[in-house]
């Protein structure tokens, strides 16, 4: 089977004045369709840089990133934005919901970029909210919900319209232990249901329990790749 994501010798250096920060040293890795992969590493190890690179939000200093046969590292900003809107869902640590919008409007947002018409958008968003246990919360604003509920909205927004790939950067970083468990079980259940590929990064060892593959990253290099506990 061909890998869905193929990362080869990726290096990322940030320059700040005279200073050079090697955020990623030399990363090579293959990820397959339907895999749940967890990147584990301490703060500053390069986890977010890696995700941003694969999502095309930043360009590598060196190396190649393919998603299917698309060379992400070669796309211009417009091409990469379109690719992302079509194929990738994001879950963030701090939820990143639009404060002025309701839960339903937040979840519908990615569908606007995919040119789904309004009626269909609302139906899909409603279904996505129901799937994360938020039936009846459609008209709530983010400030009217708990952290766990806001993250469920964030998950619904990432999953709506079933993008091929889901990226999650410290998805449970702002949640307590109990809510972390609920939210992780929910994410895994939903991505498995639709055979989506999930790449999450975290410093929390307990998250690795949910993964097929656990990649330990240290100082911008892969230290080891293990089978997850699942
Ligand atoms: P993690 O997500 O694992 O905490 P990051 O990928 O955010 O780590 O950062 C990796 C390294 O790159 C850190 O040393 C960080 O300070 C540095 N870094 C990240 N983004 C930038 C940037 N935009 N400019 C300069 N240095 C950066
Ligand atoms: Mg980070």
């Amino acid at each position: 089977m061909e890998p869905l994501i193929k990362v080869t010798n990726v290096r990322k250096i940030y320059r700040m004045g005279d200073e050079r920060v090697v955020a990623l040293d030399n990363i090579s890795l293959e990820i397959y369709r339907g895999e749940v992969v967890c990147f584990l590493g301490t703060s500053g190890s390069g986890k977010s840089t890696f995700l941003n690179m694969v999502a095309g939000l930043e360009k590598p200093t060196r190396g190649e990133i393919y998603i299917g046969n698309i060379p992400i590292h070669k796309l211009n900003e417009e091409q990469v934005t379109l690719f992302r809107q079509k194929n990738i869902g994001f879950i963030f640590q701090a939820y990143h919901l639009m404060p002025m919008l309701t839960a339903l409007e937040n979840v519908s947002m990615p569908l606007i970029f995919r040119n789904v018409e309004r009626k269909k958008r609302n139906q899909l968003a409603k279904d996505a909210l129901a799937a994360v246990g938020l039936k009846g919360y459609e008209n709530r604003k983010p400030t009217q919900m708990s952290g766990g509920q806001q993250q469920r909205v964030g998950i619904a927004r990432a999953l709506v319209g079933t993008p091929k790939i889901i990226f999650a950067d410290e998805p449970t970083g702002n949640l307590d232990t109990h809510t972390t468990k609920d939210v992780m079980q929910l994410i895994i259940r939903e991505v498995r249901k639709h055979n989506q590929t999930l790449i999450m990064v975290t410093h929390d060892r307990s998250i690795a329990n949910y993964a097929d593959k656990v990649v330990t990253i240290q100082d911008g290099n892969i230290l080891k790749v293990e089978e997850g506990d699942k």
Side-chain angles (χ1 to χ4, degrees), residues 13 18-19 35 37 73 97 105 109 147 158 165 197 204 209 226-227:
I13 295 175
D18 291 342
E19 212 188 328
E35 246 185 335
V37 183
H73 58 290
L97 302 177
E105 290 165 341
M109 196 62 97
I165 306 171
T197 306
D204 179 356
N209 296 333
E226 299 161 291
E227 295 289 307

Side-chain angles (χ1 to χ4, degrees), residues 12-16 21-24 41-52 58 169-170 201-202 217 220:
K12 178 65 175 177
I13 295 175
Y14 290 111
R15 285 177 202 287
M16 295 185 298
V21 180
V22 182
L24 295 176
T42 54
S43 174
S45 55
K47 305 184 296 295
S48 296
T49 304
F50 176 77
L51 268 197
N52 293 343
E58 294 179 73
D169 194 344
E170 304 272 6
V201 308
T202 180
I217 178 165

Side-chain angles (χ1 to χ4, degrees), residues 62 139 168:
R62 201 184 70 198
N139 294 319

